[in-house]
């Protein structure tokens, strides 16, 4: 009986269940007492870690993580998917009928889509537990600055030049010196 309780606790991989199951055992032999002492030695640091856990504060540097801390993350997830699906319609529309409105919509959609993608990488790979507390904040601030500067630059290009879609068309139309020699 006591062996089955110990095995159940081992299956659950929970040290607390192992200690509880050893205490329930009706036969208290020397090996059981030694096993209990060993388990307590293993469980004791875990108990100290639980006490120290409230001292360490979880740092949330991502807007989606901060939003999900107080509410459901599904709304932001839905918006991200809607922007991604909307890009499938905005990109061809901006090239078929170029205008400042479609160029602005394309610029906003591409920048926010890219921002969310890079932000996911920053959150995944710049964890405070791995790289420290400062580097994730710096990376996130740099991402925000780059995203705002990119959007501002695209708006400037749309307003004061040929526009985003026409600019891309002109860039694609550039032929290199090798192509001119062959023609």
């Amino acid at each position: 009986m006591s062996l089955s309780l110990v095995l159940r606790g081992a299956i659950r991989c929970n040290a607390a269940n192992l200690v509880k199951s050893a205490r329930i055992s009706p036969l208290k032999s020397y090996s059981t007492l030694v096993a209990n002492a060993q388990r307590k030695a293993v469980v004791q640091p875990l108990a100290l870690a639980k006490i120290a856990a409230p001292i360490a504060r979880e740092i949330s540097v991502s807007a989606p993580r901060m939003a999900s801390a107080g509410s459901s993350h599904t709304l932001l997830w839905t918006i991200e998917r809607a922007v991604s699906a909307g890009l499938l319609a905005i990109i061809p529309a901006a090239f078929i009928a170029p205008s400042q409105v479609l160029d602005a919509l394309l610029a906003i959609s591409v920048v926010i889509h890219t921002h969310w993608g890079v932000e996911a990488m920053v959150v995944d790979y710049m964890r405070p537990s791995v790289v420290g507390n400062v580097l994730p904040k710096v990376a996130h601030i740099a991402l925000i600055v780059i995203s705002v500067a990119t959007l501002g630059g695209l708006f400037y290009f749309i307003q004061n030049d040929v526009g985003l879609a026409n600019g891309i068309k002109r860039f694609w139309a550039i032929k290199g010196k090798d192509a001119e020699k062959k023609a």
Side-chain angles (χ1 to χ4, degrees):
M1 171 95 180
S2 65
L3 180 61
S4 66
L5 291 173
V6 170
L7 290 176
R8 284 186 204 154
I11 290 171
R12 290 185 193 127
C13 297
N14 190 344
N17 286 339
L18 286 173
V19 172
K20 287 178 186 175
S21 64
R23 288 182 188 158
I24 294 173
S25 173
L27 302 173
K28 295 286 183 182
S29 64
Y30 177 75
S31 62
T32 306
L33 294 175
V34 170
N36 284 341
Q38 290 174 345
R39 288 186 192 117
K40 285 181 183 177
V42 170
V43 173
Q44 188 64 25
L46 294 174
L48 291 176
K50 288 180 183 176
I51 293 170
I55 296 170
R57 171 184 128 184
E58 186 174 334
I59 295 175
S60 183
V61 294
S62 168
R65 286 181 67 191
M66 288 186 284
S68 67
S71 63
S72 177
H73 182 70
T74 56
L75 177 63
L76 183 60
W77 185 87
T78 305
I79 293 170
E80 288 174 355
R81 297 308 169 262
V83 168
S84 298
L87 277 170
L88 294 173
I90 294 169
I91 292 171
F95 284 98
I96 292 170
S99 69
Q100 283 190 342
V101 173
L102 284 176
D103 282 347
L105 196 57
L106 177 64
I108 292 169
S109 300
V110 168
V111 169
I112 199 162
H113 179 76
T114 306
H115 176 84
W116 283 331
V118 175
E119 183 182 41
M121 290 187 284
V122 168
V123 170
D124 287 345
Y125 296 112
M126 295 287 199
R127 292 187 302 260
S129 62
V130 176
V131 297
N133 291 335
V134 176
L135 196 57
K137 291 179 182 179
V138 170
H140 196 257
I141 290 169
L143 172 64
I144 292 170
V145 168
I146 290 170
S147 295
V148 169
T150 302
L151 189 59
L154 289 174
F155 281 159
Y156 181 83
F157 186 73
I158 291 167
Q159 187 68 33
N160 298 320
D161 209 335
V162 294
L164 193 56
N166 285 331
I168 293 171
K169 285 180 183 178
R170 285 185 180 186
F171 181 75
W172 286 340
I174 297 174
K175 294 184 180 177
K177 293 179 182 179
D178 294 332
E180 291 175 5
K181 289 179 183 177
K182 291 180 183 178

